[in-house]
Amino acid sequence: MQIPFKKTLFSLFFITLCLNASAQYADVVKQEGRKVYFDVSAMSRFPQEGDFFEVILPGVEITNPKTGKVLGREEGERVAGKVVKTKDLYAIGFLDKNIDVAGSCAEFTSKAARAKTPLFLDGEFPEQNSLKPLWQSSPMEASPRFAAACDFDGDGQNEIALSFKEGNSVKVFSLGDKRELKEEARYNVAAIKNILALDCGDLQNSGAAVLFVTVFNPADESFNVIPLSLEDGGLKAGKVFEGLVQGIAPYNRPRVLYTQKIVKIGSKYYLSKPAKLEFKNKKYESGQELNVRGLNAIFGFNMADLTNDGILTPVYITANGKIRAGFDEPKDFSLNESGRDFAFSPNTFNFSGVKQNLYTPLAVFTSGEKQNLFIAALQNDKSAKNANLYFLKWLGANFAKYKVFTLPAPVYDMKQGDFGPFKDILILPLAFDKKGALAVYAADNI
């Protein structure tokens, strides 16, 4: 979700910086859709390909109602983007979304400045085939399965929601000053229902996110979603709606929630196409459908800018367990691995007499000096004793296995986002036999 921020006035000093095009700021002089051109002629350090920027839109003008004197403006929306080409006196960038920014001011950040927390220490790989978390919780009394990280209480910092098989419960935790998990609220799901997924988002733009709990009822083989809101120290359930919900997190873009329904016609079941989850007419419903050949499930997919032109391409796990990128034209790129590598999950349920496995989410991020694109994918060991975390590198025409690390326990879920003070991380709930832990890993500099 987008974290709400306090509105502040633009100072005259800040406006002067934009007008003078200092080393950190430049004006947008031309726009073609999401493609923007910057005047960098007066910058002391020219932006480089791969640098990031935020275009700062002007907010509401503040005036003294008695005198009519203009006091300044509120800070408006910030639209992120990435530099894709540089010339002698101008630079070209792509915006994360299509919005009119012509004539606005942009603030630049070098790609090196974005590398906040290295994922691997020097010499750690390949000498040690292990992965060290940035932070890991103390052992839990039960094994966590699914996770969702959002700002549930509207305080400007994300909490974490975890589901547990024990008690069929969902709990929300904050991270205290001593970096210990503190339980803020819990909700018990009916014992007969199986929790299949957690995700969250602020679709109502209220400043506080809603937690969506997808459940399966084996008694009537129905799939439903329970929306939970954090109110007065507890989780309050809203109106339950039919279907499933799972989100994706394209790198450096807001998280997007998708939904789909399971339709029974006669003795057969069919999946509706994945569609964006929207809040309209005071209820949650399906929005625009995602029509991609071979992609028919909201589980196990994400979006990636494979062509470095600002256009997102779905990346997903196929029915036989391969990673694939789907394009509009008739061509696919698959990871050259044996079948079922990414198909197995400890999350199983019996549907119409058939054992079903759900794919874990894929994470997408860029890393290293060249800002190469990577995908993180999970493969759980068939013995359910541990899991492998694959890092797959995009080579421009295919994926290649880059590194594989063994995690100490099975993993039901992997989310990408923020939690407490940790930004742009991989969030992994580790499900040991009787206990568990929550671990976070950096998604930079692998």
Side-chain angles (χ1 to χ4, degrees), residues 64-284:
N64 186 322
K66 292 183 178 180
T67 66
K69 182 180 179 181
V70 177
L71 305 177
R73 285 183 178 272
E74 290 184 339
E75 182 174 325
E77 181 181 1
R78 286 175 171 255
V79 184
K82 188 176 181 180
V83 176
V84 295
K85 186 179 293 186
T86 58
K87 295 292 185 179
D88 291 340
L89 300 178
Y90 69 92
I92 302 174
F94 265 97
L95 298 170
D96 284 353
K97 62 180 181 179
N98 195 354
I99 186 171
D100 184 10
V101 299
S104 300
C105 177
E107 180 181 2
F108 287 82
T109 305
S110 70
K111 57 186 177 183
R114 286 295 184 96
K116 301 177 293 297
T117 45
L119 182 57
F120 301 107
L121 301 177
D122 291 340
E124 182 179 346
F125 187 87
E127 287 80 3
Q128 297 179 15
N129 191 19
S130 62
L131 182 63
K132 295 181 180 180
L134 290 174
W135 169 85
Q136 184 167 314
S137 71
S138 301
M140 299 178 179
E141 294 302 318
S143 296
R145 296 205 166 186
F146 306 104
C150 276
D151 184 5
F152 295 108
D153 58 9
D155 66 350
Q157 194 169 70
N158 282 6
E159 292 78 37
I160 192 84
L162 297 173
S163 72
F164 298 87
K165 179 68 174 178
E166 185 180 45
N168 217 30
S169 61
V170 177
K171 302 178 183 179
V172 172
F173 299 89
S174 61
L175 195 60
D177 295 336
K178 296 182 179 180
R179 293 191 173 179
E180 290 291 333
L181 290 177
K182 177 185 176 183
E183 184 178 329
E184 300 291 347
R186 69 170 64 188
Y187 180 88
N188 293 328
V189 177
I192 191 175
K193 298 180 180 179
N194 297 334
I195 300 175
L196 300 183
L198 295 185
D199 223 310
C200 53
D202 184 14
L203 302 185
Q204 301 184 44
N205 295 317
S206 67
V210 172
L211 175 66
F212 298 98
V213 185
T214 297
V215 297
F216 170 68
N217 187 347
D220 58 6
E221 294 194 318
S222 63
F223 298 85
N224 292 284
V225 179
I226 308 171
L228 300 177
S229 300
L230 187 60
E231 299 179 13
D232 301 324
L235 286 170
K236 181 180 179 181
K239 186 177 180 179
V240 177
F241 57 94
E242 182 184 354
L244 311 97
V245 167
Q246 182 69 281
I248 63 170
Y251 181 69
N252 219 20
R253 289 171 167 84
R255 189 169 188 83
V256 181
L257 296 179
Y258 281 85
T259 184
Q260 65 183 161
K261 294 181 180 180
I262 311 295
V263 181
K264 184 177 182 180
I265 302 177
S267 60
K268 295 184 178 181
Y269 290 83
Y270 300 89
L271 284 167
S272 65
K273 293 180 180 179
K276 285 187 178 180
L277 181 66
E278 297 178 348
F279 186 77
K280 291 182 177 180
N281 303 318
K282 297 183 179 181
K283 64 179 181 179
Y284 295 103

Side-chain angles (χ1 to χ4, degrees), residues 129-131 386-389 404-408:
N129 191 19
S130 62
L131 182 63
N386 53 43
N388 291 322
L389 180 58
V404 182
F405 292 95
T406 299
L407 301 172

